[in-house]
Amino acid sequence: MSEEDVYQEAIETWGEDVQVQIAIEEVNELGAELSRHLRGRGNSAAICEEIADVEIMLEQLRHVFGDSPVDTAKDAKLGRLRDRMEADDE
Ligand SMILES: [Mg+2]
């Protein structure tokens, strides 16, 4: 089973609302780990675990809300960031 198939099957098995709820929880778990890091109690293995969790849930959110609109928004935002970086270099 491909990675894409796993994401789609997870959504079909548990439903969009459950997967959206889990995405919220995983984002919050990453936020908590990053906060511990900034307070000097960081655990980089735990941060990496949470990054992986969030990436997996972000992929599922793409299945729920649409890959193409996400790509379009990402391209625009990356373009603006690139412009800012290039302006800072001048
Ligand atoms: Mg997690």
Side-chain angles (χ1 to χ4, degrees):
M1 188 184 287
S2 73
E3 198 174 307
E4 291 304 313
D5 289 343
V6 172
Y7 298 140
Q8 191 56 45
E9 194 160 324
I11 293 162
E12 287 166 11
T13 301
W14 292 295
E16 288 184 2
D17 288 352
V18 169
Q19 294 313 92
V20 168
Q21 183 61 49
I22 292 172
I24 293 166
E25 292 169 12
E26 293 298 353
V27 166
N28 287 332
E29 288 174 10
L30 176 58
E33 284 301 332
L34 291 172
S35 184
R36 283 187 201 100
H37 169 72
L38 290 178
R39 285 183 290 135
R41 297 180 186 163
N43 174 337
S44 95
I47 291 170
C48 291
E49 292 262 337
E50 295 307 335
I51 290 170
D53 285 342
V54 168
E55 286 188 355
I56 288 166
M57 296 318 299
L58 289 179
E59 289 299 326
Q60 290 181 60
L61 292 177
R62 280 177 167 269
H63 281 251
V64 172
F65 294 102
D67 229 10
S68 177
V70 174
D71 285 338
T72 300
K74 188 174 175 180
D75 285 347
K77 287 167 187 282
L78 266 176
R80 283 200 297 272
L81 181 58
R82 187 177 295 114
D83 290 347
R84 245 188 256 163
M85 297 301 103
E86 287 170 358
D88 281 356
D89 287 343
E90 291 169 13

